[in-house]
Amino acid sequence: MAVVMTMRWDGVTPAQYDQVRDLVRCEQDTPDGALLHVCSFEGGALHVTDVWGSQEDFERFFADRLAAAIKEAGIEGEPQTGFRPLHRRFIAPGVTGAAS
């Protein structure tokens, strides 16, 4: 069952996020189960909303690829993360591919 993962990570900067993104290369080598990724910054925190095929898909990606990149970028602390079953997804007509 697809899930929505939400994450808030206090103290993560846009530069650190971009470094992790460059190291993990999700857009070039999409992790199994990854369906959607959106991030923003507000109040000194990184905010992420993802859609994954399952919670296990995200946990595998975190263990296999993301954790090492987070360490290399010097990100400290722990995120607040939650998972909920996906009820519905809408993608506007004409919206495709990755965006910066």
Side-chain angles (χ1 to χ4, degrees):
M1 167 183 279
V3 295
V4 177
M5 186 278 297
T6 56
M7 177 186 294
R8 176 189 168 104
W9 202 324
D10 291 326
V12 176
T13 68
Q16 287 173 312
Y17 170 84
D18 289 341
Q19 182 179 357
V20 169
R21 184 174 168 253
D22 290 344
L23 290 166
V24 173
R25 301 177 48 82
C26 286
E27 293 166 18
Q28 296 81 10
D29 181 15
T30 304
D32 290 341
L35 301 174
L36 175 74
H37 172 78
V38 178
C39 92
S40 60
F41 291 88
E42 182 179 58
L46 165 68
H47 298 266
V48 172
T49 301
D50 283 356
V51 177
W52 287 85
S54 69
Q55 183 172 340
E56 293 77 18
D57 288 335
F58 173 77
E59 291 170 349
R60 184 173 41 258
F61 165 68
F62 190 94
D64 293 349
R65 294 172 57 184
L66 191 56
I70 289 168
K71 183 176 180 178
E72 187 170 331
I75 296 173
E76 298 179 349
E78 295 290 325
Q80 299 170 359
T81 306
F83 294 88
R84 291 165 206 68
L86 176 68
H87 177 70
R88 183 148 176 93
R89 174 179 69 167
F90 168 76
I91 299 173
V95 175
T96 61
S100 57

